[in-house]
Amino acid sequence: MATCSIEDVLAKAEKDEADKLKSITVIKELDLEFDLGNMLALDKNPPNIREFREKKKDEFLRSLARDNTQLLINEMWKLPTERVDEVIVAKLPEPTTRLPREKPPPKPRPPTKWEEFAKLKGIRNKNKTNLVWDDVHNQWKRRWGYKRANDDTKEWLIEVPETADPNEDQFAKRNKAKKERVAKNEFNRLRNIARTQKIKVPGVGLAPTGQQSKSDLGKAVHVAKMSTASVGKFQDRLPKEKAPKNTGKKRKFQPLIGDFSTEKQKQLDILKIMDSKKPRLDIGKAVNKQMREEDMESGSKKKGGPGKKGRKGNFSGKKGKGAGSAKGGKNRKPRMKLGKR
Amino acid sequence: MRPLTEDETKTMFEKLSKYIGENIKLLVDRPDGTYCFRLHNDRVYYISEKILKLATNISRDKLVSVGTCFGKFTKTQKFRLHITALDFLAPYAKFKVWVKPGAEQSFVYGNHVLKAGLGRITENTAQYQGVVVYSMADVPLGFGVAAKSTQECRRVDPISIVVFHQADIGEYIRSEDTLT
């Protein structure tokens, strides 16, 4: 029996070995196409339709998938491998199949106001060269931006135009003009963003917002008042109108060592006002007082009854507890006394 | 250093009045000399006129402290009392809380006062009333806010908080470098 079984086992092992060897090699009419970077195999062989019909469909598909996977893995084993932490790793080549991107392409930037206008009028960009010859430096320089050619802000001398005021600072004028152009550009850029996102642009004065607050209105009134030829100098004040806050007024403090008596008087006045604003009857306090009185009354009633026992027997805990549980344990030392004011 | 503005005076007085009520008058109007409040580095100092005049000799950036610091104004213009004000709060305090000797340490380490540690409390203390905390030997230990009114105090269980800690004399050691 034993020998028989050993032979059986050996035979079975041999058969298994053969099966394994057999299973590694797969024969196909057409060779598969591989894209190892994506771990992709393309089988161009037509499926055996007869077999597909006769066999169970699932089984057929599974075997086909297994065979093709085997081929893919065979191909991958041909790659150079190395051992990293007891694991065999193959370096995949670059993928050759182009996969579609995961996310939809970004939407094009909405046209700015100028771009819309240019399209309407058929204005097209003239292509200018990026580099321009600079006569002063004798070299090619960029047309715009930093280190640009013919930079008019870097000039050391400006001719005063005949019509201009001779005392006017032409450099400052140019700088100011440049700054204003930049500011205008930035403003337009923000306006374009606001337009595309359908946000209303706050102008000067009262911006049309969802909820207008009192302070907004106050600011708008202030701006409107200042918008006269005399910068609001002759504008009448409304009765009870408050001066707007944060208008760049400097804070002014009393002197460090001034009149101490007036200072004291001012502080006393403040105290007086604070006192007068207090309610005569503090309801919370009154309720507390009432509650306390009721407590006292009920407490004295209780004391008349079994409470006395508990008090006398200062150390007989059990009795005392029963008697004075409401007052928080009279059997012990009184926990809490009431202090005088 | 400068005098307080009217708004600042008001916020400070409102905070002080939580502890000493109308006794602020006694601080402002003192018979033994002229005393005033001055603001320096956002801190309010209570100084006698004499010391103030001497202090003007010291430049602003070099002056660390003068007189008694009452507290400081926060960035949002609220007023915080400091423990250094205790010397002036304690004698005029309207509402007091005495803590048992066992709970003294806990309070002085910066913890709230629990019911278990409460020795006595002034009658008619309302909830959220500013109170000065004393030891049973009548030594002022700090101040806080009553978490419960006197009535409620009797009923609550021993582990519930009775006084919220605000400042204690332990700060003289704990925050030695920030107190002025």
Side-chain angles (χ1 to χ4, degrees), chain A residues 255-256 263-264 292 336 339, chain B residues 3 29 38 120 123 151 154:
Chain A
L256 176 60
E263 193 187 324
K264 189 167 79 183
R292 199 177 103 64
M336 195 172 60
Chain B
D29 195 7
R38 287 289 179 271
R120 301 163 67 194
E123 271 179 52
Q151 259 66 39
R154 278 181 231 179

Side-chain angles (χ1 to χ4, degrees), chain B residues 121-137:
Chain B
I121 184 167
T122 313
E123 271 179 52
N124 285 330
T125 309
Q127 200 177 16
Y128 308 132
Q129 167 72 48
V131 291
V132 175
V133 179
Y134 287 81
S135 72
M136 287 312 266

Side-chain angles (χ1 to χ4, degrees), chain A residues 93-303:
Chain A
E94 285 293 304
T96 52
T97 313
R98 287 194 63 181
L99 296 174
R101 61 181 275 153
E102 179 201 11
K103 296 215 162 67
K107 279 177 192 161
R109 180 178 57 82
T112 62
K113 191 117 184 174
W114 161 252
E115 280 166 356
E116 273 177 11
F117 177 74
K119 201 183 169 194
L120 190 74
K121 291 278 175 185
I123 302 168
R124 252 184 276 152
N125 276 345
K126 269 182 218 157
N127 279 334
K128 288 181 192 167
T129 53
N130 193 12
L131 291 177
V132 189
W133 181 254
D134 189 343
D135 282 334
V136 181
H137 295 89
N138 269 337
Q139 62 186 35
W140 292 94
K141 287 191 149 198
R142 273 191 291 272
R143 191 184 292 273
W144 299 111
Y146 181 58
K147 284 184 176 172
R148 60 173 171 270
N150 311 319
D151 190 353
D152 69 341
T153 60
K154 294 283 188 309
E155 272 173 23
W156 63 278
L157 182 77
I158 303 173
E159 201 177 326
V160 179
E162 266 184 35
T163 52
D165 175 16
N167 292 327
E168 196 181 20
D169 186 353
Q170 296 297 323
F171 291 99
K173 196 179 164 191
R174 258 187 206 183
N175 267 336
K176 202 184 162 196
K178 169 78 187 167
K179 268 188 185 160
E180 263 171 22
R181 283 200 303 275
V182 170
K184 192 187 167 196
N185 196 10
E186 174 69 8
F187 180 65
N188 280 340
R189 186 182 74 83
L190 293 175
R191 253 208 326 212
N192 274 323
I193 291 171
R195 198 169 51 87
T196 53
Q197 293 182 348
K198 290 184 179 136
I199 305 166
K200 275 185 182 162
V201 187
V204 186
L206 202 55
T209 51
Q211 278 189 330
Q212 280 166 353
S213 68
K214 204 173 157 189
S215 65
D216 282 345
L217 187 64
K219 270 179 205 161
V221 168
H222 178 64
V223 169
K225 281 195 147 185
M226 297 289 270
S227 314
T228 62
S230 55
V231 205
K233 200 177 175 186
F234 302 106
Q235 229 43 32
D236 291 332
R237 286 188 154 262
L238 295 169
K240 286 187 183 175
E241 188 194 333
K242 276 178 189 164
K245 277 178 186 171
N246 310 326
T247 47
K249 223 180 209 177
K250 263 208 156 184
R251 296 182 303 171
K252 223 175 182 190
F253 301 117
Q254 296 297 310
L256 176 60
I257 297 176
D259 192 352
F260 285 101
S261 58
T262 53
E263 193 187 324
K264 189 167 79 183
Q265 198 52 51
K266 263 186 191 171
Q267 289 177 346
L268 288 175
D269 285 347
I270 290 172
L271 284 175
K272 216 178 188 180
I273 291 167
M274 276 169 56
D275 266 357
S276 65
K277 276 184 182 169
K278 267 186 203 159
R280 285 277 172 81
L281 179 71
D282 190 338
I283 292 174
K285 235 179 195 176
V287 167
N288 273 343
K289 205 173 178 184
Q290 181 70 25
M291 274 164 59
R292 199 177 103 64
E293 274 165 11
E294 278 169 15
D295 267 12
M296 293 270 274
E297 270 176 31
S298 64
S300 62
K301 267 181 200 167
K302 267 188 186 170
K303 267 176 204 168

Side-chain angles (χ1 to χ4, degrees), chain B residues 15-74:
Chain B
K15 182 52 78 76
L16 277 179
S17 70
K18 283 179 181 157
Y19 296 89
I20 58 176
E22 64 275 1
N23 287 340
I24 307 173
K25 260 178 211 157
L26 302 176
L27 289 178
V28 175
D29 195 7
R30 273 170 73 144
D32 59 335
T34 318
Y35 277 74
C36 55
F37 292 101
R38 287 289 179 271
L39 191 85
H40 176 64
N41 284 343
D42 273 348
R43 270 151 232 274
V44 176
Y45 294 94
Y46 184 60
I47 323 165
S48 82
E49 183 197 347
K50 258 191 228 162
I51 305 268
L52 176 65
K53 278 180 179 161
L54 293 175
T56 50
N57 290 316
I58 299 163
S59 65
R60 192 158 46 170
D61 51 338
K62 296 283 191 304
L63 184 65
V64 176
S65 172
V66 58
T68 310
C69 179
F70 259 46
K72 72 167 189 183
F73 278 101
T74 62

Side-chain angles (χ1 to χ4, degrees), chain A residues 36 72-84 87-94:
Chain A
L36 287 178
L72 178 64
I73 286 167
N74 288 352
E75 199 67 20
M76 276 167 73
W77 271 105
K78 286 174 194 164
L79 295 171
T81 56
E82 56 179 323
R83 226 169 229 284
V84 179
V87 180
I88 298 165
V89 178
K91 185 135 199 300
L92 298 178
E94 285 293 304

